[in-house]
Amino acid sequence: MLSRAPMPTLAPSRAERWDIFCTVIDNYGDIGVSWRLARQLASEHGIAVRLWVDDLRSFGALCPTLDTSRERQQIAGVDIRRWHNVTLDEEESATLTEDSDDALPGEVVIEAFGCTLPEYFVAAMAERAHPPCWINLEYLSAEPWTLGCHGLASPHPRWPLTKYFFFPGFDPNGGGLLREREVLAQRDARTGQGQKPAHIEHYPNLAPLPERGLRISLFAYETPAITALLTIWAELATPAAPICCLIPASRALQAVATFFGQSLQPGDVCRRGALEIHVLPFVEQAHYDALLQTCDVNIVRGEDSFVRAQWAAKPLLWHIYPQDEDAHCVKLDAFLDIYCPALPAAASAALRRFWHGWNAGELDADTWCAFADALPTLTKHAAVWSARLAEQEDLASRLVLFCRARV
C-alpha cells in the first residue's frame, strides 16, 4: 500500500554510507545514470558510496580505468563492487552475512530503475537498529502522473522496511535532473568564444573538423531514419552550407557504414558532397559532454545523453527507448508538451514533426528543412530552457535532502 511521504524540511547529520544497485539491462543508460549519481554523491556530498554493478564489461565502456576482472575497486571516490546478481541459498547467504561486510547495508540503499535487491541484503537491511532509507530510483519522465507518485512510501510485506519511489523530472516538485556543480561553467567556457573548435577535447585521433557549416552529433538506436537523414543531408548540403556529423561508435554505426558502402571504425572520415561524417570512439561521460557542447544540434538517445544535451543548451532530437505497445510515445509527447509551449507555432510544429518522424523511423526532406529553418529560434529556446532547469535543485541534492530526513 502506498502513502505519500512528507517533504523534508531539514537535513540531519550526514549518512555515512550509501549503496547503489544497478542492473545493466541494455545499452548504457542504467549504468550511465548510476555512475554519474555515485560520483556526484561522493565528490559533492561527502558520502561513501558503494556501487554494485552486475555487468562490468558494459560499465568499462564508460569508465576506461575500470578493471573488469576485479571484484571490488575504488575509482573517483566510489567503491565499485561486482554484483553477482543471483539467488543465494540459505547456507551461502549465512556465510556471506557472517564473513563479509558486503551484507552490511549503508544508511541509504538505492535500487536503480527497479532492479531487485538480493534477498539476503534486504534481510540485513531489516536487521539494522535503524533501517536504511530504501529508494527506488525510477526512470526519467515528464508524464504528469509521476509528480503524484514522487516520494510515495511502500511498506515491505514481510520486513519492517519502507521503500520510497523517487522520480527524476523537470518539475520543481519532482526529483530533479543530474547536474554536477561545474557542468554549466565548463559548458560556458567552451562555448563562450562563439566559434566551433577544429579539434574537440579528449578526441586526440579525430581529424580536423570544419569550422563553418552545421555541426551535428548523432547517438541513436538502430532506425531506418538514420539512412533517410543521411540521404537528405547528402542531397541538400552545399559548399556554402556544409554539414558535419560526428557519430560515436554505437549501434547506429552499421546504418552509416551501409550508407557509405564501407566498414567504419573510430577515426574514419567519409564524405558525400558537402556532407562530412566523422566516426568517434566511445568515450567516458565527461568527454561526451564536451562533444555535445561544441555541436549545433545533438541527436541523443535514452536518458543520460538526453539530459546532457539539455545542459549543452543546443537544439536536440531525442531518440527515446522504444517500449511495447508504443508506451514510449506517451513519454515523448509528455516532454514535448512541457518543452514546446514557449516556442512560436511554426518552430514548435517543426520540432514535433522531426521528433515524431525520427522515432517512427520515417523522415522526409520537408521535415528536415522545416527543422533546419527553425534552428535559430530553437537555439535561443534551448538556452532559455537550460537556464530555467538550472534554477532548480539537482537530482543528487534533492535525493540527499530526502534521505537525510529519514535516517
Side-chain angles (χ1 to χ4, degrees):
M1 182 176 182
L2 298 177
S3 61
R4 177 169 298 283
M7 291 300 294
T9 57
L10 50 84
S13 59
R14 177 176 67 84
E16 294 182 358
R17 186 171 69 182
W18 289 26
D19 288 288
I20 302 176
F21 284 82
C22 174
T23 298
V24 181
I25 299 174
D26 188 18
N27 305 298
Y28 302 98
D30 292 5
I31 183 56
V33 171
S34 299
W35 179 224
R36 282 195 195 270
L37 175 61
R39 296 200 313 271
Q40 189 178 0
L41 289 172
S43 64
E44 298 184 10
H45 297 278
I47 294 170
V49 181
R50 288 190 303 192
L51 176 59
W52 302 80
V53 185
D54 68 340
D55 181 359
L56 294 185
R57 183 188 58 80
S58 294
F59 186 8
L62 295 175
C63 181
T65 58
L66 184 75
D67 184 345
T68 58
S69 67
R70 298 180 62 184
E71 293 295 305
R72 58 182 297 179
Q73 56 200 292
Q74 281 270 345
I75 300 178
V78 177
D79 183 6
I80 299 170
R81 304 291 186 94
R82 186 192 302 275
W83 175 17
H84 296 280
N85 193 4
V86 296
T87 301
L88 303 179
D89 60 30
E90 291 184 5
E91 182 177 351
E92 291 172 319
S93 179
T95 300
L96 184 58
T97 302
E98 293 171 1
D99 300 341
S100 171
D101 71 344
D102 286 355
L104 301 177
E107 283 76 9
V108 175
V109 176
I110 298 177
E111 191 176 87
F113 312 116
C115 67
T116 302
L117 297 183
E119 188 60 30
Y120 75 84
F121 200 88
V122 176
M125 290 163 59
E127 291 172 359
R128 281 182 52 117
H130 300 286
C133 182
W134 183 2
I135 299 291
N136 183 0
L137 181 63
E138 295 284 353
Y139 288 101
L140 172 66
S141 178
E143 295 171 278
W145 67 265
T146 62
L147 294 175
C149 294
H150 176 63
L152 289 184
S154 176
H156 193 279
R158 290 195 299 121
W159 301 107
L161 296 169
T162 299
K163 181 191 299 187
Y164 297 95
F165 293 88
F166 203 91
F167 284 84
F170 307 90
D171 190 279
N173 296 314
L177 303 172
L178 281 173
R179 186 186 76 247
E180 302 84 354
R181 288 174 183 164
E182 73 279 2
V183 66
L184 301 185
Q186 290 174 343
R187 176 200 67 194
D188 294 342
R190 290 188 180 104
T191 60
Q193 302 301 317
Q195 296 179 340
K196 292 191 284 289
H199 291 88
I200 297 178
E201 299 169 70
H202 314 298
Y203 290 88
N205 299 320
L206 185 64
L209 302 173
E211 298 181 41
R212 62 187 183 88
L214 200 59
R215 182 179 295 177
I216 303 170
S217 75
L218 195 163
F219 184 51
Y221 304 116
E222 301 97 329
T223 171
I226 294 173
T227 302
L229 190 56
L230 291 174
T231 302
I232 293 167
W233 285 344
E235 292 176 351
L236 296 182
T238 66
I243 296 176
C244 176
C245 183
L246 309 178
I247 305 180
S250 67
R251 291 161 48 177
L253 196 56
Q254 183 55 52
V256 182
T258 300
F259 178 80
F260 283 99
Q262 65 182 80
S263 61
L264 294 174
Q265 59 185 3
D268 286 345
V269 180
C270 301
R271 296 179 179 85
R272 183 173 295 184
L275 169 64
E276 185 172 295
I277 301 292
H278 290 252
V279 182
L280 311 183
F282 196 100
V283 297
E284 57 188 284
Q285 291 170 316
H287 301 171
Y288 178 67
D289 294 348
L291 170 67
L292 296 177
Q293 292 161 7
T294 57
C295 289
D296 301 302
V297 177
N298 292 304
I299 301 174
V300 293
R301 76 181 198 192
E303 178 171 328
D304 184 54
S305 59
F306 176 47
V307 173
R308 307 320 285 191
Q310 291 174 68
W311 298 135
K314 302 293 180 65
L316 72 153
L317 166 62
W318 184 23
H319 196 179
I320 190 171
Y321 188 79
Q323 295 177 293
D324 293 338
E325 300 180 355
D326 292 334
H328 59 288
C329 295
V330 176
K331 296 177 67 173
L332 187 79
D333 282 326
F335 178 77
L336 288 170
D337 287 345
I338 64 170
Y339 188 77
C340 290
L343 284 169
S348 175
L351 182 70
R352 285 179 176 272
R353 182 178 173 185
F354 190 32
W355 282 40
H356 285 153
W358 182 269
N359 282 280
E362 301 174 353
L363 281 182
D364 56 36
D366 288 344
T367 298
W368 165 254
C369 289
F371 177 79
D373 288 345
L375 279 177
T377 299
L378 294 174
T379 300
K380 294 178 182 177
H381 177 69
V384 172
W385 172 262
S386 183
R388 194 180 88 185
L389 289 180
E391 293 174 354
Q392 302 180 23
E393 284 278 11
D394 63 278
L395 185 150
S397 296
R398 293 187 191 187
L399 194 56
V400 167
L401 181 63
F402 184 92
C403 293
R404 285 181 177 171
R406 291 164 177 79
V407 295

